[in-house]
Amino acid sequence: MQVQSLFITATNTNVGKTHTTVQLIEAFACKGLSVGAFKPIETGVSTIAHDASLLLKACQKVNEKFKDLTESDITAYTFPLPAAPFCADIHKEIVIEKILEKYQELSQLCDILLVEGAGGLMVPVTKDFMMIDLAKKLEAKVLLVTPSRLGCINDTLLSMEALKSQNIEFEWCVNLFEDKETFSEVTQPFYDEVFPEWWSVEKGINRFISTY
């Protein structure tokens, strides 16, 4: 059976990709699926790859095949500079094929592999290869995580247009975190009108995984 994959991206950095991915790991496991996680590139890593560590711990609770893995086993590249991969990769080490090989290795350990991107869709991995290109290369369905802060409508719509331009199948959700108190007044009316089926990480995870 070919493993299913889901690429988790966001409108920008610090929106809630890792938080969402951890919720998905737990929810898919409750459905009876063997779940794995892959963080292809993590920047801002001094000693421990924080995001990869959180994902690995969540996987180890539900998938025996991840028990003996380390953070470096579920990442292809880590860099100390907290920046876009292209900028953090000061020695130009990134080879896309290595990322694809790591993806294939981890795919052997699970029924569904959750791949967490870095930053947003147009974040450069190399000079001419963006995060959106990786999602397309993996032929993965995409989950776009958007923030609840003021200005998120613009960011959400732009990211949707980028995915549509590449003919990438996607779903999207809101991580209700920043400006949570004012979201219902300054943002939600538009979403309710244009996207009546929109959902939040807090309330829609189970509905989302029911499609798998």
Side-chain angles (χ1 to χ4, degrees):
M1 182 183 71
Q2 183 176 5
V3 69
Q4 299 182 71
S5 60
L6 179 65
F7 191 95
I8 296 90
T9 187
T11 53
N12 212 313
T13 191
N14 294 324
V15 169
K17 292 187 299 295
T18 304
H19 168 72
T20 302
T21 306
V22 168
Q23 305 306 308
L24 288 167
I25 290 169
E26 295 171 353
F28 277 119
C30 286
K31 191 181 177 183
L33 291 173
S34 173
V35 193
F38 178 31
K39 178 76 177 180
I41 304 170
E42 185 167 348
T43 65
V45 177
S46 53
T47 53
I48 297 174
H50 180 69
D51 292 349
S53 177
L54 290 174
L55 298 180
L56 180 60
K57 288 176 182 176
C59 284
Q60 289 175 331
K61 292 178 182 178
V62 299
N63 188 342
E64 286 289 332
K65 293 181 180 178
F66 275 70
K67 287 288 187 182
D68 296 325
L69 300 187
T70 65
E71 289 87 355
S72 61
D73 291 320
I74 67 165
T75 58
Y77 295 98
T78 59
F79 301 103
L81 183 67
F86 174 79
C87 299
D89 182 16
I90 59 175
H91 299 298
K92 297 298 171 274
E93 302 172 30
I94 295 176
V95 177
I96 302 303
E97 189 58 38
K98 179 180 176 181
I99 296 174
L100 301 180
E101 288 174 0
K102 179 73 75 170
Y103 170 84
Q104 292 299 331
E105 290 173 10
L106 293 171
S107 294
Q108 307 304 310
L109 307 179
C110 53
D111 299 322
I112 182 166
L113 183 61
L114 307 184
V115 183
E116 184 191 320
L121 289 162
M122 298 308 293
V123 164
V125 178
T126 66
K127 181 178 70 172
D128 53 7
F129 192 91
M130 310 295 172
M131 273 293 156
I132 193 170
D133 298 315
L134 179 58
K136 190 161 188 177
K137 198 77 153 175
L138 296 177
E139 299 181 345
K141 183 175 180 179
V142 166
L143 177 62
L144 171 67
V145 182
T146 76
S148 52
R149 60 174 173 259
L150 179 64
C152 65
I153 292 174
N154 178 72
D155 297 341
T156 298
L157 295 179
L158 286 173
S159 295
M160 287 179 173
E161 287 303 313
L163 289 163
K164 290 175 183 177
S165 73
Q166 294 294 320
N167 296 313
I168 296 175
E169 182 183 358
F170 72 95
E171 297 256 2
W172 72 284
C173 64
V174 178
N175 180 32
L176 291 171
F177 175 58
E178 296 177 292
D179 296 345
K180 184 176 179 180
E181 296 77 13
T182 59
F183 175 80
S184 62
E185 183 179 7
V186 302
T187 302
Q188 188 173 343
F190 178 79
Y191 288 163
D192 286 345
E193 181 70 24
V194 180
F195 306 106
E197 297 297 316
W198 76 272
W199 54 280
S200 67
V201 176
E202 293 74 12
K203 297 181 179 179
I205 288 289
N206 289 328
R207 188 184 78 187
F208 172 69
I209 67 167
S210 68
T211 62
Y212 283 78

